[in-house]
Amino acid sequence: MMNYLEKYSYTPDESRIASNLDSIASNLDAFASEETYKKCFSVMDLTTLRTNDTPDYVKLFVEKVNGLQQAYPAYPLPASVCVYPNFAETVARTRNNPELHVTVVSSCFPSAQSFIEVKELECALAVRNGAEEIDIVLALNSFLEGDGQKAFDEIVRMKQVIDSEAAKLGRKVVLKVILETGLLVSLENIANASFLAMEAGADFIKTSTGKVDVNATPAAAFVMCECIAAYYKASGRKVGFKAAGGISTAKDALCYYSIVANVLGHDWLDKSLFRLGVSRLGNSLISAIEQTTVKYF
């Protein structure tokens, strides 16, 4: 596997990262404002990835988002609704505002354990059925065996299919690559996977599927953001960051918001470059803004 850490002159030093995270944690209150909570609300990929999801359930889920403007007119719209690829058309048809994007998980989510041809077809069908953003999973079966080239090539092939199908429809589709950082374990693996995914063409790199024991963590997020910064310095291309898995409280949102702000700067604090993949966060953010317990979603 290529030594990306050497190529980008990056070392994920655990003690330095821990010190930075301690400083961020001690200053979270400085970010706790209505403005910041609303910013976090605007970068949510509201997610339902249940085994028992149905078209009717997904439709009701999207209609709940449609009702936000009437229930909370001063709130921004979430960035997207994230579903399994077979529900892309349901979301596209149900939303009442095209600014609410259709995001799907693909590449045989969450394990990515299948043939590349199957993953390519799933991505193509997702685009044809209305997906505007596609979250694929890094092929850990190759990466953890030390075959980074094969993992790289899979991302390239899926991106080519996605771009080709999107071009036929006269639009572009955002590609997010899920690293599954909890299974990568070491900070060095997380960094190498981050650089690999970005070099393969990822528009975003994402922490987790939310389907394993360890999902998003501040340490993984910090390393990924530092890699994004190093890649931007070397290439001039801005890649987005998405934290997902276990992000359920307003304080969790503030933590990832502040990591992005500290490492990447305010240019990244926008839905074009920062996302939170969530299923429970919305109520917590509304409650924090309204200063009372709210169960909207």
Side-chain angles (χ1 to χ4, degrees):
M1 185 184 299
M2 177 182 288
N3 189 338
Y4 291 102
L5 305 190
E6 183 177 306
K7 178 177 180 179
Y8 288 94
S9 302
Y10 175 70
T11 302
D13 181 78
E14 288 192 36
S15 60
R16 176 183 59 80
I17 291 167
S19 176
N20 276 281
L21 289 174
D22 284 344
S23 177
I24 287 171
S26 65
N27 288 290
L28 276 187
D29 287 345
F31 287 96
S33 67
E34 180 177 323
E35 179 184 1
T36 303
Y37 289 137
K38 285 184 176 179
K39 176 68 78 171
C40 290
F41 199 87
S42 74
V43 302
M44 291 192 303
D45 287 347
L46 284 171
T47 303
T48 179
L49 296 171
R50 310 179 311 160
T51 301
N52 60 335
D53 278 344
T54 64
D56 281 347
Y57 177 82
V58 171
K59 184 177 179 181
L60 288 172
F61 189 77
V62 178
E63 286 176 343
K64 202 70 175 175
V65 183
N66 289 341
L68 274 169
Q69 189 171 17
Q70 183 174 352
Y72 298 97
Y75 282 43
L77 195 68
S80 80
V81 168
C82 180
V83 293
Y84 283 112
N86 49 304
F87 295 120
E89 189 174 11
T90 302
V91 177
R93 286 184 172 182
T94 307
R95 64 179 175 177
N96 62 13
N97 189 332
E99 290 300 310
L100 179 71
H101 281 192
V102 181
T103 296
V104 306
V105 294
S106 193
S107 73
C108 301
F109 177 97
S111 68
Q113 296 283 15
S114 192
F115 304 101
I116 180 58
E117 293 84 359
V118 175
K119 298 177 186 181
E120 289 175 306
L121 180 58
E122 188 178 58
C123 288
L125 290 171
V127 176
R128 292 175 203 168
N129 282 274
E132 295 161 315
E133 304 184 11
I134 295 183
D135 294 14
I136 66 172
V137 186
L138 175 71
L140 292 182
N141 51 11
S142 298
F143 185 87
L144 294 177
E145 283 269 296
D147 193 347
Q149 187 62 51
K150 187 173 181 181
F152 179 96
D153 289 344
E154 281 207 10
I155 295 171
V156 170
R157 285 180 62 171
M158 283 184 275
K159 180 173 175 57
Q160 288 173 341
V161 167
I162 290 166
D163 288 349
S164 175
E165 291 295 328
K168 294 174 187 176
L169 298 168
R171 54 189 176 87
K172 290 189 175 182
V173 172
V174 171
L175 175 65
K176 308 191 198 92
V177 177
I178 305 167
L179 307 184
E180 202 67 288
T181 54
L183 298 182
L184 293 176
V185 182
S186 74
L187 298 184
E188 288 77 14
N189 272 349
I190 293 169
N192 269 312
S194 296
F195 288 123
L196 181 153
M198 289 187 286
E199 287 205 353
D203 297 306
F204 275 74
I205 52 175
K206 174 180 171 181
T207 58
S208 322
T209 62
K211 303 295 186 181
V212 296
D213 291 339
V214 177
N215 290 289
T217 66
F222 196 92
V223 170
M224 290 169 68
C225 287
E226 287 200 320
C227 291
I228 290 170
Y231 179 78
Y232 174 59
K233 182 178 180 181
S235 70
R237 186 170 77 92
K238 290 182 176 179
V239 174
F241 168 72
K242 179 175 176 177
I247 302 168
S248 60
T249 69
K251 188 174 182 180
D252 292 335
L254 287 181
C255 175
Y256 292 104
Y257 178 96
S258 60
I259 288 170
V260 172
N262 277 275
V263 179
L264 292 168
H266 288 270
D267 283 356
W268 260 262
L269 295 174
D270 177 86
K271 67 181 181 179
S272 65
L273 290 168
F274 176 39
R275 296 292 178 86
L276 296 170
V278 299
S279 58
R280 295 172 289 166
L281 179 63
N283 286 335
S284 184
L285 288 174
I286 296 174
S287 297
I289 295 166
E290 301 297 322
Q291 295 292 294
T292 187
T293 301
V294 176
K295 293 183 178 180
Y296 179 82
F297 293 104

